[in-house]
Amino acid sequence: MARLEIKGLSAGVRGKRILRGVDLVLEEGDSLALLGPNGHGKSTLLGCIMGNPAFEIYEGSVTYGGKDVLSLPVDERSRLGIFLGMQNPVEVPGVPSSDFLKAAMNARREKKLSLFQFIRKAEAAYKEVGIPFEMAQRNLNEGFSGGERKKNEILQMRLLEPGLAMLDEIDSGLDVDAIEKVAETILKEKDRGTSFLVISHYARLFRLIRPNRSAIMVNGRIVLEGGPDLIDRIDKEGYEWLRKEHGVSLEKIVDAPMNEVSIGVCATKEALDGK
Amino acid sequence: MVTVRIASGASLEICVADFARGRGSFVVDAVCEGEGSGFTFRLSSLALEEDEKTFDVHLDHRLAHQNGKVDMNGIAGGASKLHFLGETVVRRGAGGTRTRQDGRIIVIDRESSCRCSPALRIFDNDVEAGHGAVEGRLSDQELFYLQSRGIPEKEARRLIAMGYLSPIATYFPEGIREKILSAVEEGI
Ligand SMILES: Nc1ncnc2c1ncn2[C@@H]1O[C@H](COP(=O)(O)OP(=O)(O)O)[C@@H](O)[C@H]1O
Ligand SMILES: [Mg+2]
């Protein structure tokens, strides 16, 4: 529940640039649909905000509530109120979900939860999200189906009560009923005042959670921002119109490694010229 | 050193939860002599600081229809050295034998080192055998996942390491089980 400000963010993997100067502001209480074709850097952006060690930051800044997010360790970012529901949550063998959840909930509390308090809260959240409570005994994400993993992400969001929830294709792998349940949970969090940054390829989820804004990412940049109307347009027409109406080249830029950085920068300029 | 010969129809299971400190080697020499005999060896080992530990497990399948399992898991921290060696041999005449050999060592500090190279040698055609040897670092994506939920790095490492070593406890009777879990916890 604070302002998120991303300025000139450039980042990549092992010298390969993926984000090429992202500028985006999320006001308190905003919920933004982050759209864009596959492979253009949406997940990378969320990963960089959360601090995924797979990514390198080259330039730019991210602040949340005025704090310099990029200088903080991952766990502090979380305790600041930032949450990332991941596109592909990893399996953590041998670690029971319940131990993990308890550790995560207690990490942001001065007074630790008693076992009884923990069970009461956890059981309610499992029920709300539609996961059998027995699954708390299972190792974290180990052998979970795609849908179970996604529900498990939403469960964690609910229990950790973030100020900013970033959800990366949270609806992929979910059946229609599950999507509705997930959307209900998101709406409850919205009522708490949580801001949302949501990636999805499907208008169905957005129709349910009603974001007030949208932004389109192409080649590692935000090329267009607007209201929720962009969601329906993309759902019906795809992304081609960006080319005609806004001069955005949709061809993916394949970046050379960083030691040939000048080529990357020129290519970006060309692709986005005339916007 | 443990030396065992397993007669026809008999099977033996050895589970070792090793949280001892120091230097030493532990040698197992198991021969499945009789038809249909079986041998299982499970290990969880934690090496820390200056510890140097070697586990050398030999399993010899000599006759038909035997079962074997060698499953070794370890964590090496500090400046320790942890080695999983040995071999499983399936001899000619041990047809219909099923055996599996796995070794996995996770290195959690820069100065720690490991070697995980148990071998599997097969001399009969009609054998079902599996083999896996992994030396690795603690997965940064697993760490990231736990930390992204607010869990501090140290605690996240502890949870992952616990998750890796503690399953051995399930093979022990109650009472000892608790002792193992608290030994894992203290060690990490
Ligand atoms: N961990 C990684 N290692 C290597 N390349 C990556 C990694 N993550 C993303 N990429 C590459 O970066 C580009 C953008 O990926 P991503 O951010 O996942 O796109 P999106 O979420 O928009 O589909 C892709 O070309 C992808 O292959
Ligand atoms: Mg993605």
Side-chain angles (χ1 to χ4, degrees):
Chain A
M1 279 162 264
R3 187 170 197 263
L4 175 79
E5 188 169 335
I6 304 161
K7 264 198 198 151
L9 187 66
S10 283
V13 175
R14 283 175 306 249
K16 242 186 62 194
R17 200 175 282 255
I18 301 168
L19 301 182
R20 299 156 196 274
V22 176
D23 293 304
L24 189 65
V25 172
L26 209 69
E27 301 293 346
E28 247 182 87
D30 264 354
S31 50
L32 180 129
L34 181 59
L35 310 163
N38 283 323
H40 281 253
K42 301 182 298 299
S43 295
T44 302
L45 175 63
L46 304 199
C48 288
I49 296 171
M50 197 73 244
N52 189 333
F55 303 116
E56 302 160 341
I57 309 284
Y58 305 130
E59 264 181 278
S61 66
V62 178
T63 59
Y64 181 65
K67 289 219 170 66
D68 174 11
V69 170
L70 299 180
S71 70
L72 297 175
V74 175
D75 53 305
E76 280 183 40
R77 299 182 196 196
S78 162
R79 295 199 297 275
L80 209 58
I82 302 176
F83 177 87
L84 171 58
M86 304 197 194
Q87 187 171 358
N88 301 304
V90 292
E91 298 192 350
V92 189
V95 176
S97 302
S98 54
D99 290 4
F100 158 75
L101 290 174
K102 195 148 26 91
M105 288 164 78
N106 280 332
R108 61 201 71 231
R109 272 190 162 68
E110 283 195 2
K111 203 165 160 283
K112 301 232 176 302
L113 290 168
S114 71
L115 187 62
F116 177 71
Q117 288 169 319
F118 166 71
I119 290 178
R120 224 182 31 195
K121 280 178 186 285
E123 199 168 8
Y126 271 84
K127 192 162 172 227
E128 186 182 313
V129 189
I131 314 177
F133 190 46
E134 295 84 70
M135 281 197 55
Q137 304 304 315
R138 292 203 13 212
N139 292 335
L140 184 52
N141 293 329
E142 202 176 21
F144 286 22
S145 71
E148 285 167 342
R149 285 185 201 202
K150 292 305 172 77
K151 287 186 205 164
N152 197 43
E153 296 292 288
I154 289 295
L155 171 90
Q156 292 169 47
M157 174 189 79
R158 194 66 176 144
L159 286 171
L160 300 182
E161 306 186 332
L164 165 66
M166 307 186 288
L167 304 177
D168 195 348
E169 300 200 17
I170 201 70
D171 50 345
S172 68
L174 292 180
D175 60 49
V176 178
D177 291 345
I179 290 177
E180 283 186 6
K181 236 180 177 135
V182 160
E184 264 172 46
T185 307
I186 291 174
L187 288 175
K188 280 188 204 157
E189 278 295 298
K190 250 173 93 175
D191 283 344
R192 275 189 49 250
T194 303
S195 314
F196 279 89
L197 183 44
V198 181
I199 299 173
S200 169
H201 290 295
Y202 304 104
R204 178 191 288 277
L205 177 72
F206 289 131
R207 252 174 240 132
L208 293 166
I209 64 176
R210 298 186 300 274
N212 61 324
R213 292 174 52 200
S214 64
I216 306 175
M217 175 173 274
V218 176
N219 275 319
R221 282 186 136 193
I222 301 297
V223 296
L224 191 66
E225 287 191 54
D229 47 305
L230 291 182
I231 300 167
D232 284 322
R233 177 138 197 221
I234 288 168
D235 189 44
K236 289 198 194 82
E237 303 174 35
Y239 292 100
E240 262 314 303
W241 57 275
L242 278 173
R243 196 193 302 274
K244 285 179 216 108
E245 292 175 27
H246 299 272
V248 175
S249 159
L250 300 168
E251 278 71 50
K252 217 175 129 186
I253 300 172
V254 181
D255 196 10
M258 279 291 274
N259 51 8
E260 295 167 60
V261 68
S262 56
I263 296 172
V265 171
C266 290
T268 314
K269 273 217 176 97
E270 231 170 61
L272 295 162
D273 258 357
K275 185 199 147 181
Chain B
M1 168 133 185
V2 179
T3 308
V4 287
R5 308 207 172 287
I6 303 150
S8 164
S11 53
L12 174 69
E13 177 164 348
I14 298 177
C15 296
V16 177
D18 160 50
F19 304 101
R21 304 300 315 279
R23 292 169 187 217
S25 74
F26 188 92
V27 181
V28 177
D29 192 358
V31 181
C32 285
E33 286 188 333
E35 200 167 312
S37 58
F39 178 72
T40 299
F41 180 76
R42 295 181 208 278
L43 166 72
S44 258
S45 175
L46 177 66
L48 295 167
E49 295 170 10
E50 308 287 315
D51 292 350
E52 283 186 32
K53 300 180 178 185
T54 299
F55 290 84
D56 198 355
V57 180
H58 295 260
L59 170 58
D60 193 346
H61 290 290
R62 294 205 171 158
L63 283 182
H65 304 296
Q66 300 183 337
N67 282 300
K69 186 173 181 64
V70 175
D71 187 7
M72 303 195 275
N73 292 286
I75 286 193
S80 70
K81 295 189 169 72
L82 182 59
H83 295 171
F84 291 169
L85 311 172
E87 62 179 3
T88 294
V89 182
V90 185
R91 294 189 190 273
R92 194 182 308 264
T97 287
R98 299 169 61 171
T99 195
R100 174 128 210 122
Q101 185 194 65
D102 288 288
R104 206 158 89 109
I105 302 178
I106 293 186
V107 162
I108 54 174
D109 290 310
R110 214 171 295 271
E111 297 86 61
S112 21
S113 69
C114 72
R115 199 171 128 211
C116 184
S117 55
L120 181 61
R121 292 198 293 147
I122 300 166
F123 300 98
D124 198 287
N125 291 327
D126 174 29
V127 172
E128 217 179 287
H131 171 74
V134 183
E135 298 171 359
R137 306 223 145 244
L138 210 71
S139 148
D140 66 347
Q141 288 303 308
E142 287 175 28
L143 259 182
F144 168 62
Y145 191 81
L146 298 199
Q147 280 188 272
S148 78
R149 285 7 179 181
I151 302 174
E153 178 173 347
K154 223 173 138 192
E155 163 116 12
R157 284 180 182 277
R158 194 188 63 86
L159 275 170
I160 295 171
M162 277 282 283
Y164 187 66
L165 292 178
S166 53
I168 190 83
T170 57
Y171 298 103
F172 286 83
E174 226 165 297
I176 297 178
R177 206 178 294 161
E178 284 67 43
K179 274 195 192 146
I180 292 172
L181 291 176
S182 58
V184 177
E185 185 117 25
E186 265 168 46
I188 298 163

